[in-house]
Structure formats: C-alpha cells, structure tokens
C-alpha cells in the first residue's frame, strides 16, 4: 500500500526494455546519437510543432535550468506560494539563475495550489519596470498538476500566461505530473502548453513510468540559445544521453505515457470513492489528478501506517484551519502507474 509518492514506483517494463536494448550498442555521446534525435522528433510530433529538447536527469535540473535560460540581472520570477520551485528545489533555481528572486504569489483561500490572476497582478505591480531599486520581472512559473493535486484549466493557463506576456514575461510550466494533468483534462499536450501561452516546459517522465528521464522543452527554439551551455554548467550534459532519450522514446511509443497517467488517475479516483464512504476520513478538496488529500485523526493515520500504508502528512493550507479538529491533519496519498486495484482495495478496507 505505497501511496507516499509516485517517485516510489519502479520503471515500466517497456522502459526497462528500452534501457536494455540501448545498453547493447554504441551511441554517439552528448546528445548527438540517433536515439536522441528520434526522441526529440517524437516530442515535436507530440506537441504538433518543432521544439528544442534538452534531456536532463531530475525535475530540479529541469526547473532550475529552464528558469536560468530566462535570467536577467536582478531577475524576478513569480510562482505560487506553495510551488515546488520555491519550497523543494534546495536553492537550485536561485543558484542556476545567478541569484534570481522567486516571488511567492499568495492566492485566496480555497484556490488549492492555483495562482489567482488578481493576486498575480498585485505581486507584479510591486516590481515596476522603471524602478531600478527592485528586481526585473522575467518569468511566471506554473505547476501543472499543482502541489495540491489540482489542475489548471486551459482557460486559466491562457489567462495567466496572457498577464505574463503583456508584462514582457515568459511562462514556464513545471510539468513533473504533466501527464496526469493532460489525462485529467482530456486535452492534447499542445493545447495545455504553447497554444495556451506556455513558452517552456519541464516535462517529467520519472514520476510516470520512467527510471530517470526529464526534459526541458522550448516551444520557440530561439529561446533556447543559452541552454546548451547552461546544461553543461549545470552538470546535466550526459555523455550517455542516449539512455535518457531511450526512455522517452519508449514512453512516447503507442501513447504509453498517457495510458500510464490515466491508470494512476483512475486508481486515485477509486481511492477517492472509498474515502467518501468512510466515517473516519473526508476529502480535503476535490481530486483531479493522481493525488488525493484526506483529513483524518493522528490515531487513524497511525493505524494505517501500522497496517503497512505509506503516505505523507501535509501542511494545512491558509484558510483551512477551521475545517480541521485539533487532532486532525491533512494526509497526501498518491497513486502511480504501478498502483494495483488490490492496493486500493486493501487501503479502502482500512479506511
């Protein structure tokens, strides 16, 4: 009953097979192999336009290098106050951007991980272009799906990216769970990115069946001019890049990536259905992707853990304090491509 994170899951057999096949041959190094070229072409086909692709090892590398490509002196980047880039990248964004400033946008209670357009405008207004004493606005970063497991609609992404574009900013999307968001919306990758105004995407494969595969994707290849040297300086130019590319090639083949995401989302929805039937738990907010947040007592959480369940406690979002009893907390459960129906049934019985 592993619901702690989709990072706990192993690799899909097709991904493992792609690595074995790549291991049995010679490949040109540093991203120049035929496998690298095929995977990049497959990503261009996925997004229905020519894109510039840079394979990296981790989501931290993808996010920090993507934002570094937009860096300017005294650069300021806006993100949600609970975003991964500001709370869980260990200072990598600030390091790679040469001291860039991440500005948290605090949305209204109930937004559940989403940036509110008015809140974004207020945050940006604190950095007027003609004031040398404040930072220079450079980027907006959106997390899709969000840290709260919610999913921006296409209209919400378009509205926020339009605000950024009007102010001369580029829009970056942290897509660690990009696949789950696409599956939840039932849209195309193009509709959720460049057609909605997104300029750069950190595309995550690791949480959805890959062993170690992330990519930075530029929808305007001209924006990627600095990226080759940024990736080298950031210690993410692999001599054997073909092994990352091979994972993406297998991940994209026959729409495996979306099938795995749909499965994870479906398992989460089953868990949500079970939680709604329990007298000892309740759902903190609506479930949209492969993450569900349940309110339960410490006693109930400890009983689940003694039975073998793995999940994380979650900090109470601003504005939700009154919804919790003194001995209650929010707990996060995540399903993955590897979650089985019997896993959900076992924890549902405990709930």
């Amino acid at each position: 009953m592993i619901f702690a994170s989709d990072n706990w899951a192993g690799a899909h057999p097709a991904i493992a097979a792609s690595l074995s096949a790549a291991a049995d041959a010679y490949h040109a190094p540093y991203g120049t192999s035929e496998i690298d070229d095929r995977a990049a072409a497959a990503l261009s086909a996925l997004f229905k336009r020519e894109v510039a692709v840079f394979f990296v090892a981790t989501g931290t590398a993808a996010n920090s290098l993507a934002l570094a490509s937009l860096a300017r002196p005294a650069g300021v980047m806006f993100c949600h106050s609970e975003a991964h880039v500001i709370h869980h990248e260990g200072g990598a964004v600030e390091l790679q951007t040469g001291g860039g400033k991440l500005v948290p946008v605090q949305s209204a209670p109930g937004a559940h991980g989403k940036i509110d357009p008015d809140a974004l405008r207020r945050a940006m207004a604190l950095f007027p272009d003609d004031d040398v004493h404040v930072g220079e606005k450079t980027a907006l970063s959106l997390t899709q799906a969000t840290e709260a497991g919610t999913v921006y609609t296409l209209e919400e992404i378009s509205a926020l990216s339009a605000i950024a574009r009007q102010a001369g900013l580029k829009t970056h999307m942290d897509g660690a769970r990009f696949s789950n968001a696409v599956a939840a919306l039932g849209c195309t990758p193009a509709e959720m990115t460049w057609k909605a105004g997104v300029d750069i995407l950190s595309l995550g494969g690791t949480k959805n069946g890959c062993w170690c595969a992330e990519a930075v994707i530029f929808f305007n290849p001209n924006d990627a001019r600095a990226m080759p040297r940024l990736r080298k300086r950031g210690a993410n130019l692999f001599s054997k890049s073909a092994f990352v590319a091979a994972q993406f090639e297998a991940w994209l083949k026959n729409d495996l990536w979306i099938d795995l995401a749909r499965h994870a989302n479906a398992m989460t929805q089953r868990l949500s259905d079970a939680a709604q039937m329990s007298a000892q738990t309740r759902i903190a907010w609506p479930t949209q992707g492969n993450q569900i947040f349940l309110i339960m007592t410490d006693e109930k959480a400890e009983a689940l853990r003694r039975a073998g369940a793995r999940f994380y406690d979650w900090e109470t979002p601003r504005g939700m304090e009154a919804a919790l009893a003194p001995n209650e907390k929010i707990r996060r459960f995540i399903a993955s491509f590897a979650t089985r129906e019997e896993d959900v049934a076992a924890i549902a019985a405990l709930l």
Side-chain angles (χ1 to χ4, degrees):
M1 294 181 291
I2 305 299
F3 292 91
S5 175
D6 33 14
N7 282 326
W8 286 49
H12 187 274
I15 304 298
S18 74
L19 289 169
S20 295
D24 197 31
Y26 285 88
H27 308 286
Y30 301 113
T32 61
S33 74
E34 291 183 2
I35 298 180
D36 286 272
D37 291 343
R38 291 199 305 264
L43 285 165
S44 289
L46 180 72
F47 288 100
K48 307 298 183 186
R49 68 180 295 164
E50 181 185 353
V51 297
V53 178
F54 297 85
F55 297 122
V56 296
T58 68
T60 298
N63 286 333
S64 60
L65 293 173
L67 291 169
S69 73
L70 303 174
R72 293 198 292 269
V76 172
M77 302 157 286
F78 301 89
C79 63
H80 191 274
S81 57
E82 299 169 13
H84 205 83
V85 291
I86 198 170
H87 278 304
H88 294 100
E89 303 293 27
V93 174
E94 292 87 343
L95 174 67
Q96 298 294 350
T97 57
K101 181 183 180 67
L102 284 162
V103 175
V105 179
Q106 184 68 66
S107 295
H112 302 313
K114 295 184 182 182
I115 293 176
D116 175 79
D118 289 336
L120 177 60
R121 291 188 185 95
R122 288 193 297 271
M124 290 171 57
L126 299 176
F127 298 89
D129 294 336
D130 59 354
D131 189 348
V132 72
H133 300 286
V134 299
E136 182 181 9
K137 300 187 294 293
T138 60
L140 166 66
S141 183
L142 303 176
T143 310
Q144 179 76 327
T146 74
E147 294 299 307
T150 54
V151 175
Y152 285 101
T153 65
L154 302 183
E155 293 75 18
E156 288 170 334
I157 297 171
S158 295
L160 292 168
S161 66
I163 294 170
R165 185 168 55 254
Q166 187 174 11
L169 282 65
K170 298 283 189 178
T171 297
H172 162 255
M173 178 175 282
D174 176 356
R177 295 187 176 93
F178 179 89
S179 308
N180 303 98
V182 172
L185 290 178
C187 64
T188 69
E191 289 169 338
M192 205 174 77
T193 53
W194 63 270
K195 288 187 176 182
V198 174
D199 298 289
I200 307 174
L201 169 67
S202 297
L203 177 61
T206 305
K207 291 184 183 344
N208 189 34
C210 291
W211 168 71
C212 177
E214 310 284 317
V216 183
I217 296 177
F218 292 81
F219 295 107
N220 180 356
N222 288 332
D223 290 340
R225 288 190 297 271
M227 191 63 179
R229 285 186 170 82
L230 287 171
R231 183 173 59 169
K232 174 64 176 179
R233 186 187 70 177
N236 263 264
L237 176 60
F238 292 107
S239 61
K240 296 187 178 181
S241 173
F243 286 98
V244 180
Q247 294 176 72
F248 270 109
E249 186 175 35
W251 192 64
L252 295 168
K253 187 176 181 179
N254 297 325
D255 289 334
L256 176 64
W257 68 279
I258 194 67
D259 289 341
L260 298 181
R262 286 170 179 153
H263 172 81
N265 289 7
M267 293 298 99
T268 306
Q269 189 56 55
R270 287 195 181 201
L271 180 56
S272 177
D273 293 341
Q276 292 181 68
M277 297 174 63
S278 171
Q280 300 181 65
T281 62
R282 61 189 187 279
I283 297 174
W285 50 80
T287 303
Q288 292 186 286
N290 68 322
Q291 303 179 73
I292 179 173
F293 295 79
L294 301 180
I295 299 171
M296 65 181 70
T297 64
D298 292 339
E299 181 182 15
K300 183 62 179 176
E302 182 57 30
L304 292 175
R305 288 181 170 124
R306 284 198 304 269
R310 295 292 177 266
F311 52 90
Y312 287 133
D313 295 341
W314 202 254
E315 184 177 349
T316 304
R318 182 175 65 93
M320 280 198 67
E321 296 84 358
L324 276 63
N327 66 334
E328 289 183 326
K329 291 188 182 71
I330 298 174
R331 329 284 174 163
R332 187 191 73 172
F333 293 72
I334 298 183
S336 73
F337 78 94
T339 301
R340 303 168 301 175
E341 292 183 13
E342 51 263 43
D343 300 331
V344 176
I347 201 164
L350 293 170
L351 292 178

